[in-house]
Amino acid sequence: MIEVIYIVRHAFRANWSVDPQTGIYTSSMVKTPTGIPTDPPLTSKGVEQSKELAEYLCNSDPPIERIYSSPFYRCLQTLKPTTDRLFREGNAKGKIRIDRGIGEFFGRASWEHPTPPDLQTLTSHFDYLDDEYVAVHVPASKGEMIVELHERVRNALDHIVTTLDNDPEQPKTVLICSHAATIIAAGRVLTGQMPDDPDEDDFQCFTAGLSKFVRRKKDHAKGVAGNWDCELNSETSYLSGGAERGWHFNGDESFVEFPDTLGEKEASKL
């Protein structure tokens, strides 16, 4: 059974903006690698962070056996130095599974948010992607409230862990690369520590920061929610710049209820 879940936030990325009245997104770059404005690549700083992260992850104890990623370019780009080495050396098994259930969080809106790139598009940029894996839990196209995000993440993690628990090769560890809001929700789901105020700054999510969750021995036969202990809360000691660009919830991030104030926050998070 899976005993350890590593969760890493993508490294420092380029930015985008959104008009909260129209829902039109604009990338700060002329064109993103996938042509999707909310799918920017890492900055040069982020690329360096991903290399520093790889040095740490490739020597992690216990070692990484399975890998899952959000479908956004910045997550796979963050993983690339790590996955290139792990797969080249034959240390990781299987391939990288793309799962929209651990993807980006967008606040509820009256319009549809951009869809992340599909597997065919990502395959033209990255190696070692699993072309047979199908994500089960997909975020609502018009965004989510915080409670809906937590429910989506809970379902996605339950599916991931159950799938790996039933894997004939019985992997013990999995690495997940995701986004700030999703990582906070994951920490709450795994530990069962949901604060009364969802805006509480509890689980950290610095760029290229690594969190580690260990399954409680007595709960191996139980479900995912509430059965894990957090041993690392966005560790960044291996990064030359240390802990940077932390984030926490500030209301429901809803464009519907607060259209004049949340566009900038959506553009600056994750």
Side-chain angles (χ1 to χ4, degrees), residues 29-122:
M29 302 180 63
V30 175
K31 184 178 181 181
T32 63
T34 61
I36 300 169
T38 56
D39 196 32
L42 303 181
T43 62
S44 59
K45 177 182 180 64
V47 171
E48 289 305 309
Q49 285 184 321
S50 71
K51 294 176 181 177
E52 293 173 331
L53 173 66
E55 286 299 312
Y56 188 84
L57 288 178
C58 290
N59 293 288
S60 59
D61 183 25
I64 297 163
E65 296 180 74
R66 295 289 190 274
I67 301 169
Y68 283 72
S69 177
S70 158
F72 286 91
Y73 188 95
R74 56 192 175 276
C75 287
L76 287 164
Q77 189 181 10
T78 298
L79 288 175
K80 191 177 188 309
T82 300
T83 54
D84 280 355
R85 179 172 167 182
L86 290 177
F87 286 116
R88 183 176 63 248
E89 296 175 354
N91 294 326
K93 302 290 182 65
K95 294 184 177 181
I96 304 169
R97 290 176 170 174
I98 305 302
D99 198 317
R100 289 191 63 188
I102 52 173
E104 179 71 280
F105 165 64
F106 292 100
R108 181 73 66 79
S110 59
W111 27 263
E112 293 189 355
H113 296 287
T115 302
D118 57 26
L119 187 62
Q120 182 178 359
T121 300
L122 291 172

Side-chain angles (χ1 to χ4, degrees), residues 19 42 132 162 219:
D19 184 331
L42 303 181
E132 296 182 356
T162 300
D219 293 326

